[in-house]
Amino acid sequence: MSNTLMEPPVQESLQPQPGAPDNWKRFFTFSTDHKVIGIQYIVTAFVFFLFAGLLAMIMRGELLTPESDLVDRTVYNGLFTMHGTLMLFLWTFPMLSGLANYLVPLQIGARDMAFPRLNAVAFWLVPVFGIILTVSFFVPGGPSQSGWWAYPPVSLQNPTGNLINGQFLWLVAVALSGVSSIMGAVNIVTTIIRMRAPGMGWFKMPVFCWTVLSAQLIQLFGLPALTAGAVMLLFDLTVGTSFFNPELGGDPVLYQHFFWFYSHPAVYVIILPIFGVFSEVFPVYARKPLFGYPVVAVSSLIITALGAVVWVHHMFASGTPGWMRMLFMFSTMTISVPTGIKVFAWVATVWGGKIRLNTPMLFALGGLIMWVFAGITGITLGSVPFDIHVNNTYYVVGHFHYVVYGAVVMGFYAAIYHWFPKMTGRMYYEGLGQLHFVLTFIGANLNFFPMHPVGLMGMPRRVASYDPEFAFWNVLASMGAFLLGVSTLPFLLNVLSSWARGPKAGDNPWRAIGLEWMVSSPPPHENFDEIPVVVSAPYGYGGDEPLVASEPEKELVGEYS
């Protein structure tokens, strides 16, 4: 196909390739190569993902029976808090940073990120605050009772009397996480705005870059609120200020506003790049252009704007005035419109296509199915009467996990399998990949669907023991959790063995369209021997228009300087 070729052809770089098996030591250095940093993020995130998943399996083991008979109740609460915090701050955010770091410069025709050293510093903060966060679980006075949201006044209690306790370490870790993410957001936004290849206007940019840009804009305007709230809470806990302490005239509900002003838009920080993954995967394996590309791209920015005015729906039960409830119920319902546009576009893209059910496509389809279900339950939670009825029950937990596991983790797996040949220069084993999908899809639905009926029945979350009437649904959920744990085994076997000795991958094994597929696998040190000049929009499957300019066309467009 003419639109998958770059002229002149890319020559083999003499620089070391970051994915080469004999070059693994580079992943343990302070590298400024965006591809090395991207893989560092991804691997680090998976380590914490496995640890947080182990904590979840212990909790589901406790919930196999109505009695509290596996771990102490206080330990159970600590497991609950640490599982949620690790999954958010050390799995989803670093994983997304890894994908963005690796793919964005390649997709926009840049040699690296705008600020390579800042990029490296942002990554190396991750293991630092990851260790601090993990240690907080084992230090007396840990964040077991306050939950992953750390609401005061519970989070201000200091039963140990020591300045350095578990809650202190937890807050320090969250604050460092915010600093790292803000650094990354500044870098990514600058890179996309200032470093696109010649000819790559906004509507010639891949949707993945649109979604990453939209997500990082949320980080820039929302994350300072959470970081500031964590620092203020840290001052209340250590030096006796009274920002949120009601005994000293503080306002604990103010902290909830700080927390949710970012932490609900954070859901869009997480899901928007996954929308980008879906938009990249579906056209490749359906062999069709992305339906409604300009509208799909702009809808990401609409979600970013509306995401700034939905946070109070988490506080309907916090004494929120009636007029405010109605306002934020309306905004919550409204944000489903641009999301629905994306779903419609993906279905239209797949419909009538020459579908190849490779592992990336399976995970993308599975993630789309689970996202639609999560969207339906999300609309119900946006309704004030229903939200108050199921407040603090397992219905909320089930909805949230359909988002963060059903859609986000499935999207992560789709991305890993899709770009694995590009990252490593090796092909994964398709049979193991499909086994991984089957186990994950069944396990996720078996784990998270029962949380909805048991929540409607009134079972509260964060409890180690419960009424026997909830036992049937909890046993099903626990079986699903154990199956999810097993599902990671074929994945780990696949990626480790494939990376070490899998079949060598060509530069473009999927016959995809995009600048990242026009360089070697893995890419050379600075990505492009010569910066390409883009002349057409992406996703042109079936068309004759090339993606990049030939040598005579470059003279008309203008050389890159």
Side-chain angles (χ1 to χ4, degrees):
M1 296 175 62
S2 61
N3 53 355
T4 62
L5 299 177
M6 178 177 177
E7 298 180 5
V10 176
Q11 299 177 352
E12 186 73 19
S13 173
L14 298 179
Q15 297 288 342
Q17 296 179 338
D22 58 349
N23 202 26
W24 59 270
K25 293 181 181 179
R26 298 193 69 197
F27 299 117
F28 296 90
T29 64
F30 191 84
S31 174
T32 56
D33 186 336
H34 73 96
K35 298 180 292 296
V36 173
I37 294 173
I39 293 176
Q40 286 175 323
Y41 266 116
I42 292 170
V43 173
T44 303
F46 261 102
V47 171
F48 285 106
F49 173 68
L50 295 175
F51 178 52
L54 177 62
L55 300 184
M57 293 177 68
I58 296 174
M59 288 190 294
R60 291 312 317 180
E62 174 64 82
L63 295 175
L64 267 174
T65 60
E67 299 80 16
S68 178
D69 50 12
L70 181 61
V71 296
D72 182 81
R73 293 178 187 270
T74 302
V75 173
Y76 179 86
N77 287 340
L79 293 172
F80 212 106
T81 299
M82 292 303 299
H83 167 74
T85 311
L86 288 168
M87 283 295 192
L88 284 174
F89 295 111
L90 286 159
W91 159 239
T92 54
F93 292 143
M95 185 69 183
L96 292 168
S97 296
L99 291 177
N101 265 279
Y102 196 96
L103 294 174
V104 165
L106 286 167
Q107 290 192 337
I108 66 174
R111 296 195 186 279
D112 208 319
M113 300 292 282
F115 309 112
R117 289 183 177 84
L118 183 69
N119 199 23
V121 172
F123 163 71
W124 283 104
L125 280 175
V126 173
V128 172
F129 73 74
I131 293 171
I132 295 173
L133 187 65
T134 304
V135 168
S136 73
F137 177 68
F138 301 99
V139 174
S144 62
Q145 303 303 317
S146 61
W148 72 274
W149 48 80
Y151 280 177
V154 178
S155 56
L156 296 177
Q157 297 172 359
N158 187 358
T160 66
N162 299 322
L163 178 62
I164 307 299
N165 56 34
Q167 186 71 64
F168 172 87
L169 295 175
W170 188 91
L171 288 169
V172 169
V174 171
L176 288 175
S177 170
V179 172
S180 172
S181 295
I182 292 171
M183 288 180 178
V186 169
N187 210 346
I188 292 170
V189 170
T190 305
T191 300
I192 293 175
I193 292 177
R194 301 292 298 171
M195 298 184 67
R196 300 191 308 279
M200 182 174 279
W202 289 107
F203 289 101
K204 292 180 183 177
M205 189 169 66
V207 170
F208 180 78
C209 296
W210 276 93
T211 57
V212 168
L213 174 64
S214 302
Q216 297 307 314
L217 289 174
I218 295 175
Q219 295 281 65
L220 289 179
F221 75 70
L223 190 52
L226 176 64
T227 305
V231 172
M232 292 162 70
L233 190 61
L234 193 63
F235 286 163
D236 280 6
L237 183 69
T238 55
V239 300
T241 56
S242 57
F243 296 111
F244 310 123
N245 190 341
E247 294 182 354
L248 300 176
D251 185 359
V253 177
L254 177 62
Y255 173 83
Q256 295 186 31
H257 283 285
F258 275 114
F259 183 86
W260 289 115
F261 181 77
Y262 168 73
S263 294
H264 183 82
V267 175
Y268 306 117
V269 174
I270 295 168
I271 197 63
L272 276 169
I274 299 304
F275 290 167
V277 170
F278 291 165
S279 298
E280 301 298 320
V281 168
F282 286 139
V284 173
Y285 299 95
R287 310 311 299 172
K288 285 180 61 183
L290 179 66
F291 184 88
Y293 158 67
V295 179
V296 173
V298 172
S299 65
S300 298
L301 292 177
I302 297 174
I303 291 174
T304 297
L306 292 175
V309 290
V310 296
W311 79 93
V312 177
H313 78 238
H314 289 275
M315 301 170 59
F316 285 160
S318 299
T320 306
W323 66 267
M324 189 177 289
R325 287 177 173 179
M326 294 302 102
L327 175 63
F328 282 90
M329 182 175 72
F330 176 77
S331 65
T332 301
M333 300 293 183
T334 303
I335 204 170
S336 65
V337 176
T339 306
I341 289 173
K342 290 181 180 290
V343 173
F344 176 82
W346 297 327
V347 173
T349 301
V350 174
W351 189 270
K354 299 177 181 179
I355 298 176
R356 294 177 294 170
L357 292 178
N358 295 42
T359 302
M361 185 64 158
L362 290 173
F363 272 104
L365 289 172
L368 175 57
I369 292 169
M370 298 184 76
W371 168 251
V372 170
F373 183 81
I376 294 171
T377 58
I379 291 294
T380 64
L381 287 170
S383 173
V384 173
F386 189 91
D387 182 83
I388 292 175
H389 172 66
V390 299
N391 180 65
N392 208 34
T393 71
Y394 261 92
Y395 189 93
V396 180
V397 180
H399 159 74
F400 184 64
H401 280 80
Y402 261 87
V403 174
V404 296
Y405 203 106
V408 174
V409 176
M410 298 285 275
F412 281 156
Y413 284 136
I416 292 300
Y417 283 110
H418 181 61
W419 282 289
F420 184 84
K422 181 56 58 180
M423 293 179 178
T424 65
R426 303 280 180 171
M427 294 298 295
Y428 64 85
Y429 299 108
E430 186 66 37
L432 281 174
Q434 295 190 9
L435 173 63
H436 176 214
F437 166 75
V438 171
L439 295 177
T440 303
F441 189 76
I442 295 174
N445 283 284
L446 191 61
N447 188 359
F448 307 129
F449 180 80
M451 295 179 181
H452 295 81
V454 81
L456 290 173
M457 294 167 65
M459 179 176 172
R461 56 184 173 181
R462 296 184 65 86
V463 293
S465 59
Y466 53 85
D467 192 290
E469 69 170 325
F470 306 136
F472 171 74
W473 294 110
N474 276 290
V475 170
L476 286 182
S478 294
M479 292 299 101
F482 300 149
L483 186 58
L484 279 182
V486 172
S487 73
T488 60
L489 299 179
F491 171 75
L492 293 173
L493 175 62
N494 200 352
V495 296
L496 293 176
S497 60
S498 299
W499 200 343
R501 51 184 175 82
K504 290 187 177 181
D507 295 347
N508 189 1
W510 310 128
R511 294 189 297 125
I513 295 174
L515 295 182
E516 76 267 32
W517 301 106
M518 296 180 176
V519 297
S520 62
S521 299
H525 181 65
E526 292 188 339
N527 299 340
F528 303 95
D529 289 345
E530 182 179 354
I531 296 297
V533 175
V534 178
V535 296
S536 66
Y539 315 113
Y541 296 98
D544 296 325
E545 187 178 7
L547 179 62
V548 299
S550 62
E551 285 301 316
E553 291 172 323
K554 286 183 182 180
E555 297 179 3
L556 297 177
V557 177
E559 292 294 337
Y560 180 76
S561 60

